[in-house]
Every structure is written in C-alpha cells, then in structure tokens.
Amino acid sequence: SAWLQAVSPLAAGSPATVEAVLVAKPPYHCNAEYPHKFKLGAPPSGLSYPQTTVKGMQVTAERSVLSIPVVAQSPGPAQVTGTLQFSVCTDERCLIEKRELSLNLEVK
C-alpha cells in the first residue's frame, strides 16, 4: 500500500516535508534497485514545490519512505497530489507500478 503523510504541522512562510510511504505486502518486498520517484501535481494555492519530481526514496524490504519538500505560503486548506512510481518484487517477478496519491493539509 502507498500513501502520503505530513511530517509536521505546516506554517505559512515555512518549509515543510510530506512523506510518500510504500509498504510491501507479503510475499512482495520493495525493490531497492528501482529508481523510485514522486511526480507532484500542480501546486495548490498557498503551497509551492522546490522540486516537481522528487527522487531518493529510503528503501527497505518492508517499508520505504520518500521525503517531499513543500513550502507553505499562506494559511488555509491545501491538497498535495502526485504520482508515486515504484517497484515491488517476489523471488519470481517484479511489478512496476504507479499510484496516484493525495493528502489534504491545513496550513496555519
């Protein structure tokens, strides 16, 4: 399964981090050889993205995490959206997947 989560509360005028989390369901494991990435959708009002494509996922067999920098510009609701590209494998085969993810945030 895959999802986005906030690491800390977002405050206007401050950088923050959102995480893309990938958990492999047995018998699959996260593929450390695959170049995982998250491609962000258009930034909503009140947020900006230093990078539109983020790479560098920290991969373990069971759980992998990718830190995605965001900058909160003004208070109010905002939604981070994008596509996580990842791979999970068994001993016999590997699957290359894309998953659309979103996270509703409240900027203080």
Side-chain angles (χ1 to χ4, degrees):
S1 57
W3 66 88
L4 292 176
Q5 63 187 21
V7 175
S8 59
L10 276 76
S14 300
T17 302
V18 170
E19 291 178 336
V21 180
L22 172 64
V23 175
K25 296 180 181 177
Y28 289 91
H29 62 272
C30 298
N31 181 357
E33 303 299 316
Y34 184 79
H36 301 83
K37 65 182 175 181
F38 188 79
K39 184 170 181 170
L40 288 146
S45 176
L47 282 186
S48 65
Y49 305 137
Q51 306 167 311
T52 55
T53 300
V54 181
K55 300 178 182 178
M57 185 169 249
Q58 301 299 310
V59 180
T60 66
E62 299 83 26
R63 187 175 195 269
S64 301
V65 178
L66 179 63
S67 294
I68 303 164
V70 299
V71 178
Q73 296 173 322
S74 60
Q79 184 181 59
V80 175
T81 63
T83 305
L84 179 64
Q85 297 179 25
F86 62 95
S87 176
V88 291
C89 300
T90 64
D91 291 339
E92 292 79 35
R93 68 182 201 160
C94 287
L95 302 176
I96 296 174
E97 301 281 336
K98 290 183 181 180
R99 189 76 40 89
E100 298 293 324
L101 303 176
S102 66
L103 175 65
N104 293 319
L105 301 168
E106 185 66 34
V107 178
K108 303 287 180 195

